[in-house]
Amino acid sequence: MEIIINRSESKMNLKESAEIKKTYQNLSIGMTDFIQPGETEYTKSDVEKCMSLIDNFLNEISKSDSKEVGLLSAKKVVLELNELNEKCEYELIETEQREQIADIIILAGHLKGYNGRNEDITEEWREW
């Protein structure tokens, strides 16, 4: 008897993925380390907000049960990050952070079976 597992139906906690966890930690540390009081247009509070948005996305997509719902979660977080980055004079999300955030979103969708590993599902809405 063959058992087929449909990953999109699973309720996996994507925050437990070793690769997502590592990228998440590097992202938070990198943004925080770059803060120069009086010189950067964002604060530790902005970094915390960014990480909270990503946390919410990971919780939502972990619980999602369809590609449509998963992609709506991705779109929502990208648009929220656009707003936050604009508020921070476009300094919060630089090249390295952009790549890390996109990696987290793409990998989460991939682990759920919603997109390919190299399919950038953020590009359509992303301003960062």
Side-chain angles (χ1 to χ4, degrees):
M1 182 168 107
E2 183 179 347
I3 298 174
I4 298 173
I5 298 172
N6 184 339
R7 291 186 300 178
S8 67
E9 290 182 4
S10 69
K11 302 296 184 199
M12 64 180 74
N13 181 354
L14 294 170
K15 291 199 293 191
E16 296 304 315
S17 160
E19 189 174 351
I20 288 177
K21 195 181 287 190
K22 180 179 178 186
T23 303
Y24 179 96
Q25 290 169 342
N26 288 339
L27 172 65
S28 179
I29 291 167
M31 284 195 287
T32 303
D33 285 351
F34 192 76
I35 295 173
Q36 297 293 319
E39 294 182 30
T40 49
E41 295 296 326
Y42 69 93
T43 65
K44 189 171 193 291
S45 175
D46 295 314
V47 173
E48 290 167 356
K49 174 67 175 171
C50 178
M51 302 315 293
S52 176
L53 292 172
I54 294 169
D55 277 340
N56 291 340
F57 162 73
L58 290 171
N59 287 331
E60 285 180 17
I61 198 166
S62 290
K63 296 174 186 171
S64 68
D65 57 4
S66 72
K67 180 176 181 174
E68 181 180 35
V69 171
L71 292 180
L72 283 174
S73 292
K75 178 180 181 178
K76 177 182 162 199
V77 74
V78 169
L79 295 176
E80 291 170 333
L81 290 167
N82 287 346
E83 288 180 27
L84 179 60
N85 198 42
E86 180 180 2
K87 174 187 163 287
C88 298
E89 301 293 326
Y90 303 96
E91 286 188 8
L92 180 65
I93 303 173
E94 298 284 345
T95 303
E96 186 174 344
Q97 292 77 30
R98 178 184 69 234
E99 291 172 4
Q100 291 171 326
I101 293 168
D103 281 350
I104 290 169
I105 296 169
I106 293 165
L107 181 57
H110 174 69
L111 291 173
K112 290 290 287 191
Y114 301 156
N115 53 272
R117 178 63 179 104
N118 296 315
E119 182 183 351
D120 188 350
I121 59 173
T122 69
E123 191 172 24
E124 182 178 346
W125 313 291
R126 180 168 34 90
E127 295 174 5
W128 29 270

